[in-house]
């Protein structure tokens, strides 16, 4: 009789824990504690942010003078790197939601591959921030940038696709 009571209370505790993970947050308008629901959106948002940062960086670097925009872009890069780390941990932590089975697991693995590719630009983004902060905007710099700006934008457009 005592074993049955322990088993029943354990089962009830598990059900309550699962419901507590999902229901209360939805009722107050917050996202549920399910990584899988947010992985795809966060991964795509992160990849798009990389493209936006590259575009802003090219515009600044090929500009005519130094400004505080370089610090704004550098800050965006630092925040993006934190976001990339968060997306990767969300993707790795979502395995229990799919039990490594089915189409949801395939979607999780695809998001994991995409976030890994986005993470590959981690070092390049760090270097980009440093380059922007150290740009000198001399006459030679402006002449060089004028000649290669279109190619920079074309390369950025191809890499974002």
């Amino acid at each position: 009789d005592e074993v049955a009571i322990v088993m029943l209370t354990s089962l009830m505790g598990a059900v309550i824990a699962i419901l507590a993970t999902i229901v209360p947050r939805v009722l107050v308008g917050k996202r549920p504690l399910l990584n899988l629901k947010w992985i795809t959106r966060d991964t795509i948002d992160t990849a798009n942010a990389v493209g936006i940062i590259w575009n802003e960086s090219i515009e600044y670097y090929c500009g005519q003078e130094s400004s505080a925009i370089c610090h704004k872009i550098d800050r965006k890069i630092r925040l993006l790197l934190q976001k990339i780390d968060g997306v990767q941990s969300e993707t790795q932590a979502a395995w229990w939601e799919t039990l490594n089975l089915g189409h949801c697991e395939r979607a999780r693995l695809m998001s994991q591959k995409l976030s890994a590719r986005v993470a590959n630009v981690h070092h390049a983004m760090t270097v980009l921030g440093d380059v922007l902060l150290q740009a000198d905007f001399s006459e030679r710099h402006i002449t060089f940038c004028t000649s290669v700006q279109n190619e920079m934008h074309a390369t950025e457009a191809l890499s974002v696709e």
Side-chain angles (χ1 to χ4, degrees), residues 61-64 135-149 152:
Y61 192 74
C62 293
Q64 300 295 315
D136 66 356
F137 295 95
S138 65
E139 187 66 35
R140 287 178 42 182
H141 171 87
I142 293 170
T143 304
F144 169 75
C145 288
T146 303
S147 66
V148 297
Q149 184 173 8
M152 288 178 163

Side-chain angles (χ1 to χ4, degrees), residues 108-123:
R108 185 186 76 82
L109 290 174
M110 287 174 57
S111 292
Q112 190 173 23
K113 286 180 183 177
L114 179 59
S115 69
R117 289 192 178 184
V118 170
N120 285 339
V121 302
H122 183 277
H123 296 296

Side-chain angles (χ1 to χ4, degrees), residues 5-155:
I5 291 173
V6 169
M7 292 295 281
L8 183 61
T9 56
S10 296
L11 182 62
M12 290 303 294
V15 168
I16 290 171
I18 291 169
L19 291 176
T21 301
I22 300 169
V23 176
R25 293 183 61 86
V26 172
L27 294 178
V28 296
K30 294 183 179 178
R31 67 186 209 182
L33 296 174
L34 296 173
N35 291 327
L36 194 56
K37 286 184 71 78
W38 305 102
I39 288 172
T40 304
R41 188 200 68 190
D42 290 347
T43 302
I44 292 170
D45 289 349
T46 304
N48 288 337
V50 169
I52 290 168
I53 289 171
W54 275 106
N55 190 35
E56 290 176 358
S57 299
I58 292 169
E59 289 299 318
Y60 172 76
Y61 192 74
C62 293
Q64 300 295 315
E65 61 187 10
S66 178
S67 71
I69 293 174
C70 66
H71 296 287
K72 180 181 173 185
I73 295 171
D74 187 57
R75 175 80 175 135
K76 284 183 179 182
I77 290 170
R78 305 289 176 230
L79 292 173
L80 175 68
L81 299 179
Q82 292 175 358
K83 179 79 171 178
I84 289 171
D85 292 340
V87 169
Q88 285 187 310
S89 66
E90 285 177 6
T91 305
Q92 291 171 351
W95 69 268
W96 66 270
E97 295 174 28
T98 64
L99 299 176
N100 294 333
L101 300 170
H103 74 279
C104 290
E105 175 61 11
R106 286 191 300 274
R108 185 186 76 82
L109 290 174
M110 287 174 57
S111 292
Q112 190 173 23
K113 286 180 183 177
L114 179 59
S115 69
R117 289 192 178 184
V118 170
N120 285 339
V121 302
H122 183 277
H123 296 296
M125 297 299 281
T126 303
V127 170
L128 175 64
D130 294 339
V131 166
L132 293 177
L133 292 172
Q134 295 175 12
D136 66 356
F137 295 95
S138 65
E139 187 66 35
R140 287 178 42 182
H141 171 87
I142 293 170
T143 304
F144 169 75
C145 288
T146 303
S147 66
V148 297
Q149 184 173 8
N150 290 335
E151 287 80 8
M152 288 178 163
H153 279 295
T155 303

